[in-house]
Amino acid sequence: MRLKGRHSKVDAPVAVPRTGEDDERLGRILVDAGRVRPDQVDAVRGGDQGDHDGDLGQRLVASGAITDGVLARTLAEHHRVGVADFRYLAPADDAVALLTRDQAVTFDALPIALDEDAVIVAVLDPAPERMQALVAVLGRPVRPLVTTRRDLDRGLARSYRATQDVGGQIQAFEARDVLRREAAGLDVSANEEAPVVRVVQSVITQALRDRASDIHVEPTGERVRVRYRIDGALTEVLDLPASIGPAIVSRVKILGGMNIVERRRPQDGQISMAVDGREIDIRVSTTAVVGGEKIVMRVLDKSRPLFALEQLGMPADTAARYTQLIHSPFGMVICAGPTGGGKTTTLYASLGELNSPEKNLMTIEDPVEYTFDSINQIQINEQAGITFAGGLKSILRQDPDVILVGEIRDVDTARIAVQSALTGHFVLSSLHATEAVSALYRLLDMGIEAFLIASSVTAVVAQRLVRRSCTSCLAPYRPAPDEVAFVRQFDGQEPLGGWRHGTGCHFCAHTGYLERIGVYEMLVVTDEVRELIVDRAPHDQMRKLARNQGMRTLQEQAVRLVTDGTTTAAEVMRSIYVAGA
């Protein structure tokens, strides 16, 4: 659905196709400037008949022949214009309003500011013919500044908010007849142009643009609060009147195939839709709280690329050892951590490493978050009788080589997974536990015999996600004494170049952090560890042995990221449990 916002221009984008001549011109500019070699240009042009993944510049960046920043500076120097530095630029609302989002995406352009005689616009390519087309749409002269693809995409996401017209939709909703509360579950959801429908759609659309993992809709007295979880932290994005709360709940329930009449018992549902051309799945959970019903929606972007193991944040030696372990012909590797800790991403990266025509890979998940064409994936459906335990039994009759169990939730699933690992299959699974040693004791607590755990589990990887410092607004700072003490406690050092943190900018929503990286603790089950498992040795004794055998704890690995300047001590202390380290 397209939402009408503050923009006055017609919403139909003007086509500015990228032509072969554009790519040829760009290639000449880069070669003449000595930024790339002719053979590098020819190499990426060789894919023209196949995958058209971006223009020549972006393909050169993807190939490693040139960086995004060097590409932007080269174009700026050639056309004798400036470079847009979004660390210090914040697009003005009146400038942004000159183009609709569709037009901005089509032109690869973001209006930044207005002066007396021109519009200052950040663009990827300031070629004269492209600027003429932009002038025709804006109706006034343009002063271009060259930007990078990354900065432009972030700028577009921050400047064109899907939720910008929610206030108008709320007014339209409240202008309806006094019976709207009773009719909210039926009438307002039947009409695709109804205000509440547009509010829900805009909230979901903006969540995807903001990279939110979860959407919280919470009744709080006379208001309804909408919050997004972005990079692991909740941030409030909307404050709505309480009157629209029941209508939002009803609309979401209808989308999720849930019972709109039942308002007391918790319910779960699932929504599949396309937003901005991307396929997404949304897991919906509702529960009754004081003041109404609260909704939490987990957003799963199916178009998000899968990560390779080396991209997850594992140190090189840990990644090499982990890769060796997951290529075992049998046994079990467990990924442990809290909800939202990145366990599924690690498991899928492991599957990507194992995927080959010679192996039969099967998964059982709730839900299936990413789909592989060459992997057999089973979706849990308890209403149809497909449970983890039952589905796992059927998988064992399908001649599998590798089995992924989305999550070990009960003793039946744990027992079948352990037996699968003992009978010649390789099993990957996740488990909720605070750290690696605790995961083994969780299996013991479930009632799995110690000798079975010792014989089947080959490794446990515990993980957390910490926020990266925003590289666009890094600045020196003086850390608090407790932060320095924390880093020293785990043998960390002051980062090369001094202590720096993100001060907050347009890109990171003034949080100082942007995106996340994994922190990993890997316990390899050696013969000595197996003896302690069978003897049911105390937790501390097991952890001490693992550390003596080379296991680096979550805290030690996280402090390494602080020393590298990737994140801050304050973020590590916020994200990772410290006691008992």
Side-chain angles (χ1 to χ4, degrees), residues 357-368:
E358 294 80 27
K359 290 184 177 180
N360 177 22
L361 276 62
M362 299 198 69
T363 77
I364 181 162
E365 307 165 68
D366 183 23
V368 174

Side-chain angles (χ1 to χ4, degrees), residues 218-406:
E218 306 162 318
T220 56
E222 296 301 314
R223 311 296 295 174
V224 173
R225 180 172 61 173
V226 179
R227 296 191 290 174
Y228 294 160
R229 187 175 295 279
I230 303 172
D231 293 335
L234 281 170
T235 180
E236 186 169 333
V237 293
L238 285 173
D239 184 33
L240 309 176
S243 59
I244 201 171
I248 290 177
V249 171
S250 295
R251 174 59 182 169
V252 172
K253 283 183 176 180
I254 287 175
L255 289 173
M258 302 152 72
N259 184 350
I260 65 172
V261 177
E262 178 56 66
R263 298 181 179 177
R264 294 172 295 178
R265 289 187 296 182
Q267 295 187 62
D268 296 312
Q270 188 165 349
I271 302 170
S272 295
M273 62 169 58
V275 176
D276 287 345
R278 294 151 68 182
E279 294 293 329
I280 64 169
D281 275 347
I282 301 173
R283 279 185 280 174
V284 183
S285 173
T286 66
T287 191
V289 297
V290 175
E293 283 184 276
K294 175 180 176 177
I295 306 171
V296 175
M297 293 178 271
R298 168 65 58 87
V299 181
L300 306 172
D301 182 3
K302 298 183 121 181
S303 67
R304 192 184 75 176
L306 295 172
F307 293 101
L309 285 173
E310 58 269 18
Q311 296 175 299
L312 298 176
M314 285 187 186
D317 56 343
T318 304
R321 183 73 175 114
Y322 181 77
T323 300
Q324 181 183 3
L325 287 167
I326 64 174
H327 279 92
S328 302
F330 57 87
M332 177 187 286
V333 172
I334 296 173
C335 194
T339 301
K343 301 186 298 296
T344 300
T345 299
T346 300
L347 291 175
Y348 274 106
S350 306
L351 281 185
E353 180 74 23
L354 295 170
N355 192 12
S356 72
E358 294 80 27
K359 290 184 177 180
N360 177 22
L361 276 62
M362 299 198 69
T363 77
I364 181 162
E365 307 165 68
D366 183 23
V368 174
E369 296 189 15
Y370 307 102
T371 56
F372 288 84
D373 292 336
S374 56
I375 295 178
N376 306 288
Q377 296 170 277
I378 297 175
Q379 169 76 52
I380 292 296
N381 187 340
E382 295 188 357
Q383 293 180 340
I386 304 175
T387 61
F388 272 109
L392 194 47
K393 286 180 182 178
S394 69
I395 284 178
L396 292 175
R397 295 190 287 270
Q398 292 286 317
D399 186 30
D401 295 300
V402 178
I403 301 170
L404 169 63
V405 182

Side-chain angles (χ1 to χ4, degrees), residues 454 525-537 542 545:
V525 181
T526 61
D527 289 340
E528 294 82 3
V529 172
R530 289 190 178 95
E531 291 177 9
L532 293 186
I533 294 174
V534 172
D535 293 342
R536 290 180 175 265
M542 177 86 73
L545 173 64

